[in-house]
Amino acid sequence: MATRYASRRSEQLGRLVIYGAPGVGPYRMPWQLRYAAIRSAIRPTPRNADRFDRFALLDVDATRRRDSEWYQAFDAYTRAQAGHRHVKRTMSRLVADQTKPIAATDLARIDIPVSLMWGRHDRMVPLSIGQAAAKNHRWPLHAIDDAAHAPHIENPAGFVAALTMALDDQPTQDNGVA
């Protein structure tokens, strides 16, 4: 959503960090993700949530072990919220809207510094989408090791380090994967 906003109103922003977003390139939701998401939405049980988490996270078990009390609270909260009709409706709209690619001409209109952050092992929105956007728009890309789609949960230290680097990025013609 922020990227779409920036493509229309970048003069109101100072910098943009795009984090694992499908809209920056051609995207087709993996059928396994769609299946896990639908099951979890219809019946937000612990088993269905676990199926979804195993797709979203690189190592669910290691993530749980790092702070089991926090993870249990997070899991209970997300499953409780998933049962609400307005949350289901909002999530459905977000998925429908935010998985559509933003036109390259719109992305090219963004005239503020842009950096990309991605989990190196993201199965929801593959790193290749970020790599293509980095190459096409000359945006620096920071890949976060030991993480899939939710580095802020799986590898918080790596996420903060990548965010710090992204905020320090200077506009450049080069764009390797950090």
Side-chain angles (χ1 to χ4, degrees):
M1 290 187 325
T3 308
R4 290 177 197 283
Y5 182 83
S7 73
R8 293 191 233 46
R9 304 246 194 230
S10 63
E11 74 280 356
Q12 295 181 355
L13 303 172
R15 170 176 294 285
L16 177 64
V17 177
I18 301 170
Y19 175 27
V24 298
Y27 177 74
R28 182 180 209 147
M29 183 182 284
W31 69 266
Q32 304 97 321
L33 170 58
R34 188 175 299 274
Y35 178 74
I38 289 170
R39 281 187 72 134
S40 199
I42 291 171
R43 292 194 64 229
T45 63
R47 187 171 179 179
N48 285 337
D50 185 68
R51 284 185 183 110
F52 183 82
D53 291 349
R54 290 195 182 279
F55 195 86
L57 303 173
L58 179 63
D59 188 340
V60 175
D61 299 321
T63 303
R64 282 184 185 137
R65 282 191 305 270
R66 194 178 66 250
D67 188 342
S68 61
E69 187 176 319
W70 178 88
Y71 195 91
Q72 287 174 4
F74 173 73
D75 178 60
Y77 175 78
T78 56
R79 284 187 297 105
Q81 294 306 303
H84 296 296
R85 178 179 290 156
H86 69 279
V87 172
K88 289 181 184 198
R89 188 172 46 247
T90 299
M91 291 306 296
S92 179
R93 286 182 187 156
L94 281 172
V95 168
D97 291 343
Q98 302 310 311
T99 57
K100 293 176 187 167
I102 301 168
T105 54
D106 291 343
L107 293 173
R109 278 199 305 261
I110 300 173
D111 62 357
I112 56 173
V114 175
S115 299
L116 302 168
M117 289 177 42
W118 236 269
R120 190 170 300 280
H121 305 283
D122 194 333
R123 293 179 294 267
M124 288 186 165
V125 184
L127 178 60
S128 60
I129 291 174
Q131 290 169 326
K135 181 179 178 186
N136 294 338
H137 302 286
R138 297 184 174 155
W139 296 335
L141 171 62
H142 303 277
I144 303 164
D145 292 326
D146 301 322
H149 191 66
H152 60 285
I153 293 173
E154 296 181 274
N155 183 353
F159 174 80
V160 169
L163 182 57
T164 300
M165 287 192 309
L167 293 173
D168 288 342
D169 283 340
Q170 299 301 313
T172 180
Q173 300 294 21
D174 182 10
N175 73 59
V177 175

